[in-house]
Amino acid sequence: MAKIPVLEIFGPTIQGEGRVIGRKTMFVRTAGCDYHCSWCDSKFTWDGSAKEDIQMMSAEEIYQKLKEVGGDCFNHVTISGGNPALIKGIQALVDLFEEQGIETALETQGSRYQPWMRQINDLTISPKPPSSGMKPNLEILDDVIAQCVPESLNLKVVVFEDRDFEFAKKIHHRYPDIPFYLQVGNPYLEEEVENHTSRLLERYESLVETVMHSSDMNQAYVLPQLHTLLWSNQKGV
């Protein structure tokens, strides 16, 4: 059975992003990403700094670790990264979760498709905006979205600056029938940031104000990054 490169298993906690914001969940964080976003808050998944922490685990081993850590206090697991959509071996893990009655969430940038993504209950595709330094291939994104299950799918764009907001409008208009979320970016990634919560709330208020005056975003949802408001940049929550 294929092994999965795992960096972290933690929870229960709450999902801080996307359509299931506030949802009680466990996290399985995988290693590896095909993007290197300038403001990534999980660079350790791809920059080599945590390579000694990677464990190659089977689906059953991951499930047993989740039970060891979370006990009976969860029925939802978020598969995170990095970009988990790079990993074919997650198929066995998703199958096991289905057998155990556990719902799943995944966020990916839409650069790669895996058949097991059709089994994800809450699938967030988050194309990366210009401030990331990455340039999404929209034809590949079209193909990935076309193969996903519409009922489970939503789109999210993180906004740090004006050109990100313009990119978000482009994505929203390209896929007008898919639920669309805007999320304020967190540029303060140091371990300790003075007045972190208040500074993030100011950025969130600014994004809300921008959306309120945009006819392009009449159907958009505007979200904070909830876990950073509660725990700043602390890992494992």
Side-chain angles (χ1 to χ4, degrees):
M1 182 178 294
K3 296 292 184 86
I4 299 167
V6 176
L7 275 167
E8 294 183 297
I9 294 176
F10 62 91
T13 184
I14 56 165
Q15 173 57 256
E17 305 181 358
R19 180 169 66 184
V20 288
I21 189 169
R23 176 71 158 90
K24 183 181 179 183
T25 190
M26 297 288 290
F27 273 83
V28 175
R29 187 183 299 280
T30 61
C33 193
D34 50 335
Y35 277 24
H36 295 167
C37 295
S38 61
W39 37 251
C40 179
D41 60 2
S42 304
K43 287 184 178 180
F44 64 94
T45 63
W46 52 261
D47 68 2
S49 62
K51 62 182 179 181
E52 302 300 325
D53 298 326
I54 297 172
Q55 298 183 60
M56 300 303 296
M57 302 177 71
S58 68
E60 184 63 37
E61 287 169 338
I62 292 171
Y63 178 70
Q64 291 302 323
K65 185 64 175 181
L66 285 164
K67 295 296 289 184
E68 176 186 327
V69 173
D72 295 324
C73 294
F74 73 96
N75 64 0
H76 186 277
V77 174
T78 299
I79 303 170
S80 184
N83 184 11
L86 301 177
I87 306 170
K88 292 182 180 180
I90 289 177
Q91 179 68 68
L93 183 62
V94 172
D95 289 343
L96 180 56
F97 287 155
E98 284 192 343
E99 292 171 11
Q100 298 296 330
I102 294 172
E103 295 182 356
T104 50
L106 172 78
E107 180 174 321
T108 177
Q109 58 261 41
S111 60
R112 190 75 62 89
Y113 173 77
Q114 297 286 353
W116 53 260
M117 289 164 60
R118 294 182 58 84
Q119 296 168 253
I120 298 294
N121 299 100
D122 301 302
L123 176 59
T124 297
I125 293 183
S126 182
K128 303 309 177 191
S131 64
S132 69
M134 301 291 105
K135 187 174 181 180
N137 184 319
L138 296 186
E139 291 184 0
I140 291 176
L141 182 62
D142 289 342
D143 183 62
V144 170
I145 287 175
Q147 296 183 78
C148 293
V149 177
E151 291 76 15
S152 70
L153 183 61
N154 69 98
L155 286 164
K156 187 190 81 178
V157 174
V158 178
V159 176
F160 283 83
E161 55 191 53
D162 290 345
R163 59 182 180 149
D164 294 347
F165 189 73
E166 293 304 311
F167 172 80
K169 289 195 289 188
K170 178 180 178 180
I171 294 296
H172 190 25
H173 285 300
R174 191 177 183 94
Y175 313 102
D177 297 326
I178 301 177
F180 188 78
Y181 295 79
L182 290 164
Q183 180 177 295
V184 67
N186 171 21
Y188 315 117
L189 299 179
E190 298 84 4
E191 287 189 12
E192 295 186 14
V193 181
E194 187 175 357
N195 300 320
H196 196 209
T197 296
S198 61
R199 293 168 76 178
L200 289 175
L201 284 173
E202 287 177 4
R203 294 178 63 84
Y204 179 52
E205 183 178 8
S206 177
L207 178 58
V208 168
E209 185 71 16
T210 299
V211 171
M212 294 307 100
H213 292 91
S214 172
S215 61
D216 294 286
M217 293 296 179
N218 288 350
Q219 291 184 278
Y221 299 82
V222 192
L223 301 178
Q225 206 177 29
L226 185 58
H227 58 288
T228 59
L229 296 180
L230 291 172
W231 300 300
S232 189
N233 297 322
Q234 183 178 340
K235 288 175 61 178
V237 290

Short mmCIF file of all heavy atoms in Angstrom, two decimals, residues 142 145 153-155 168-181 215-221:
data_model
loop_
_atom_site.label_atom_id
_atom_site.label_comp_id
_atom_site.label_asym_id
_atom_site.label_seq_id
_atom_site.Cartn_x
_atom_site.Cartn_y
_atom_site.Cartn_z
N ASP A 142 -9.61 24.95 -15.17
CA ASP A 142 -10.89 24.59 -15.80
C ASP A 142 -11.08 23.08 -15.80
O ASP A 142 -12.16 22.57 -15.48
CB ASP A 142 -10.93 25.08 -17.25
CG ASP A 142 -11.05 26.58 -17.38
OD1 ASP A 142 -11.45 27.25 -16.41
OD2 ASP A 142 -10.76 27.08 -18.48
N ILE A 145 -11.68 21.65 -12.19
CA ILE A 145 -13.02 21.97 -11.71
C ILE A 145 -14.07 21.12 -12.42
O ILE A 145 -15.03 20.65 -11.80
CB ILE A 145 -13.29 23.48 -11.88
CG1 ILE A 145 -12.50 24.25 -10.83
CG2 ILE A 145 -14.78 23.80 -11.78
CD1 ILE A 145 -12.58 25.76 -10.96
N LEU A 153 -18.05 21.47 -4.01
CA LEU A 153 -17.01 22.39 -4.46
C LEU A 153 -17.29 23.84 -4.07
O LEU A 153 -18.43 24.31 -4.13
CB LEU A 153 -16.90 22.29 -5.99
CG LEU A 153 -15.83 23.12 -6.69
CD1 LEU A 153 -14.44 22.72 -6.23
CD2 LEU A 153 -15.95 22.93 -8.21
N ASN A 154 -16.24 24.54 -3.68
CA ASN A 154 -16.31 25.99 -3.54
C ASN A 154 -14.96 26.58 -3.94
O ASN A 154 -13.95 25.89 -3.97
CB ASN A 154 -16.72 26.41 -2.13
CG ASN A 154 -15.65 26.11 -1.09
OD1 ASN A 154 -14.86 26.97 -0.70
ND2 ASN A 154 -15.61 24.86 -0.63
N LEU A 155 -14.98 27.87 -4.26
CA LEU A 155 -13.77 28.59 -4.65
C LEU A 155 -13.42 29.63 -3.60
O LEU A 155 -14.31 30.24 -3.00
CB LEU A 155 -13.97 29.30 -5.99
CG LEU A 155 -13.98 28.41 -7.23
CD1 LEU A 155 -14.57 29.18 -8.41
CD2 LEU A 155 -12.58 27.93 -7.57
N ALA A 168 -9.46 38.10 -8.04
CA ALA A 168 -10.62 37.41 -7.47
C ALA A 168 -11.87 37.65 -8.31
O ALA A 168 -12.67 36.73 -8.54
CB ALA A 168 -10.84 37.89 -6.03
N LYS A 169 -12.05 38.87 -8.78
CA LYS A 169 -13.20 39.17 -9.64
C LYS A 169 -13.14 38.35 -10.92
O LYS A 169 -14.16 37.82 -11.39
CB LYS A 169 -13.24 40.67 -9.97
CG LYS A 169 -13.63 41.54 -8.79
CD LYS A 169 -14.02 42.94 -9.20
CE LYS A 169 -12.86 43.75 -9.66
NZ LYS A 169 -13.22 45.18 -9.90
N LYS A 170 -11.95 38.21 -11.49
CA LYS A 170 -11.77 37.42 -12.71
C LYS A 170 -12.16 35.96 -12.48
O LYS A 170 -12.87 35.35 -13.30
CB LYS A 170 -10.31 37.53 -13.17
CG LYS A 170 -9.97 36.72 -14.39
CD LYS A 170 -8.49 36.90 -14.74
CE LYS A 170 -8.10 36.07 -15.97
NZ LYS A 170 -6.65 36.25 -16.31
N ILE A 171 -11.72 35.40 -11.35
CA ILE A 171 -12.04 34.01 -11.04
C ILE A 171 -13.55 33.84 -10.79
O ILE A 171 -14.18 32.90 -11.29
CB ILE A 171 -11.24 33.52 -9.81
CG1 ILE A 171 -9.74 33.48 -10.13
CG2 ILE A 171 -11.73 32.16 -9.33
CD1 ILE A 171 -9.35 32.49 -11.21
N HIS A 172 -14.13 34.77 -10.04
CA HIS A 172 -15.56 34.70 -9.74
C HIS A 172 -16.40 34.75 -11.02
O HIS A 172 -17.37 34.00 -11.18
CB HIS A 172 -15.92 35.86 -8.81
CG HIS A 172 -17.29 35.78 -8.23
ND1 HIS A 172 -17.99 34.59 -8.07
CD2 HIS A 172 -18.12 36.77 -7.78
CE1 HIS A 172 -19.18 34.85 -7.53
NE2 HIS A 172 -19.28 36.15 -7.36
N HIS A 173 -16.03 35.61 -11.95
CA HIS A 173 -16.77 35.73 -13.21
C HIS A 173 -16.54 34.51 -14.10
O HIS A 173 -17.42 34.14 -14.89
CB HIS A 173 -16.36 36.99 -13.95
CG HIS A 173 -16.93 38.24 -13.37
ND1 HIS A 173 -18.29 38.47 -13.26
CD2 HIS A 173 -16.33 39.33 -12.83
CE1 HIS A 173 -18.50 39.64 -12.70
NE2 HIS A 173 -17.33 40.19 -12.42
N ARG A 174 -15.39 33.88 -13.97
CA ARG A 174 -15.10 32.71 -14.80
C ARG A 174 -15.95 31.51 -14.37
O ARG A 174 -16.32 30.68 -15.21
CB ARG A 174 -13.60 32.37 -14.69
CG ARG A 174 -13.09 31.35 -15.70
CD ARG A 174 -11.59 31.14 -15.54
NE ARG A 174 -11.02 30.24 -16.51
CZ ARG A 174 -10.47 30.59 -17.66
NH1 ARG A 174 -10.43 31.86 -17.99
NH2 ARG A 174 -9.96 29.69 -18.48
N TYR A 175 -16.25 31.44 -13.07
CA TYR A 175 -17.04 30.32 -12.54
C TYR A 175 -18.21 30.87 -11.70
O TYR A 175 -18.24 30.69 -10.48
CB TYR A 175 -16.17 29.41 -11.68
CG TYR A 175 -14.85 29.04 -12.30
CD1 TYR A 175 -13.67 29.66 -11.90
CD2 TYR A 175 -14.77 28.07 -13.31
CE1 TYR A 175 -12.44 29.34 -12.47
CE2 TYR A 175 -13.55 27.73 -13.88
CZ TYR A 175 -12.39 28.37 -13.45
OH TYR A 175 -11.18 28.03 -14.02
N PRO A 176 -19.16 31.53 -12.31
CA PRO A 176 -20.18 32.28 -11.55
C PRO A 176 -21.13 31.41 -10.74
O PRO A 176 -21.78 31.91 -9.82
CB PRO A 176 -20.93 33.05 -12.65
CG PRO A 176 -20.72 32.23 -13.90
CD PRO A 176 -19.35 31.67 -13.78
N ASP A 177 -21.22 30.13 -11.08
CA ASP A 177 -22.18 29.26 -10.39
C ASP A 177 -21.58 28.50 -9.21
O ASP A 177 -22.27 27.71 -8.56
CB ASP A 177 -22.79 28.26 -11.39
CG ASP A 177 -23.58 28.94 -12.49
OD1 ASP A 177 -24.21 29.99 -12.20
OD2 ASP A 177 -23.53 28.45 -13.63
N ILE A 178 -20.29 28.70 -8.95
CA ILE A 178 -19.63 28.02 -7.83
C ILE A 178 -19.58 28.96 -6.64
O ILE A 178 -19.16 30.12 -6.78
CB ILE A 178 -18.21 27.58 -8.23
CG1 ILE A 178 -18.27 26.63 -9.43
CG2 ILE A 178 -17.51 26.90 -7.05
CD1 ILE A 178 -16.91 26.20 -9.95
N PRO A 179 -20.00 28.52 -5.45
CA PRO A 179 -19.92 29.38 -4.26
C PRO A 179 -18.52 29.97 -4.11
O PRO A 179 -17.52 29.25 -4.23
CB PRO A 179 -20.25 28.43 -3.11
CG PRO A 179 -21.13 27.38 -3.74
CD PRO A 179 -20.58 27.20 -5.13
N PHE A 180 -18.47 31.28 -3.82
CA PHE A 180 -17.20 32.00 -3.89
C PHE A 180 -16.91 32.72 -2.58
O PHE A 180 -17.75 33.45 -2.05
CB PHE A 180 -17.25 33.02 -5.03
CG PHE A 180 -15.94 33.69 -5.30
CD1 PHE A 180 -14.94 33.02 -5.99
CD2 PHE A 180 -15.68 34.98 -4.85
CE1 PHE A 180 -13.71 33.63 -6.23
CE2 PHE A 180 -14.47 35.59 -5.08
CZ PHE A 180 -13.48 34.92 -5.78
N TYR A 181 -15.70 32.51 -2.08
CA TYR A 181 -15.26 33.08 -0.81
C TYR A 181 -14.01 33.92 -1.00
O TYR A 181 -13.08 33.52 -1.70
CB TYR A 181 -14.97 31.95 0.19
CG TYR A 181 -16.19 31.16 0.57
CD1 TYR A 181 -16.69 30.17 -0.29
CD2 TYR A 181 -16.85 31.39 1.78
CE1 TYR A 181 -17.83 29.45 0.05
CE2 TYR A 181 -17.99 30.67 2.11
CZ TYR A 181 -18.47 29.71 1.25
OH TYR A 181 -19.60 29.01 1.57
N SER A 215 -20.00 45.77 -7.13
CA SER A 215 -21.13 45.03 -7.70
C SER A 215 -20.71 43.67 -8.23
O SER A 215 -21.54 42.80 -8.46
CB SER A 215 -21.78 45.85 -8.82
OG SER A 215 -20.84 46.10 -9.86
N ASP A 216 -19.40 43.49 -8.43
CA ASP A 216 -18.90 42.19 -8.91
C ASP A 216 -18.98 41.12 -7.83
O ASP A 216 -18.87 39.93 -8.13
CB ASP A 216 -17.44 42.32 -9.34
CG ASP A 216 -17.27 43.20 -10.56
OD1 ASP A 216 -17.61 42.75 -11.67
OD2 ASP A 216 -16.82 44.35 -10.40
N MET A 217 -19.11 41.53 -6.56
CA MET A 217 -19.03 40.58 -5.45
C MET A 217 -20.36 40.48 -4.69
O MET A 217 -20.37 40.23 -3.49
CB MET A 217 -17.91 41.01 -4.49
CG MET A 217 -16.53 40.90 -5.08
SD MET A 217 -16.11 39.18 -5.48
CE MET A 217 -14.46 39.38 -6.19
N ASN A 218 -21.46 40.63 -5.40
CA ASN A 218 -22.76 40.59 -4.73
C ASN A 218 -23.09 39.21 -4.15
O ASN A 218 -23.91 39.10 -3.25
CB ASN A 218 -23.87 41.02 -5.68
CG ASN A 218 -23.84 42.51 -5.97
OD1 ASN A 218 -23.11 43.25 -5.33
ND2 ASN A 218 -24.61 42.93 -6.96
N GLN A 219 -22.44 38.17 -4.67
CA GLN A 219 -22.70 36.82 -4.17
C GLN A 219 -21.53 36.23 -3.39
O GLN A 219 -21.53 35.05 -3.06
CB GLN A 219 -23.05 35.89 -5.34
CG GLN A 219 -24.40 36.19 -5.98
CD GLN A 219 -24.73 35.18 -7.06
OE1 GLN A 219 -24.28 35.28 -8.20
NE2 GLN A 219 -25.51 34.18 -6.69
N ALA A 220 -20.57 37.08 -3.08
CA ALA A 220 -19.36 36.58 -2.40
C ALA A 220 -19.54 36.55 -0.88
O ALA A 220 -20.31 37.32 -0.32
CB ALA A 220 -18.17 37.46 -2.75
N TYR A 221 -18.82 35.65 -0.25
CA TYR A 221 -18.70 35.59 1.21
C TYR A 221 -17.30 36.11 1.58
O TYR A 221 -16.32 35.77 0.93
CB TYR A 221 -18.84 34.15 1.71
CG TYR A 221 -20.16 33.51 1.40
CD1 TYR A 221 -20.41 32.94 0.14
CD2 TYR A 221 -21.17 33.44 2.35
CE1 TYR A 221 -21.63 32.34 -0.15
CE2 TYR A 221 -22.39 32.84 2.07
CZ TYR A 221 -22.61 32.29 0.82
OH TYR A 221 -23.81 31.69 0.53
#
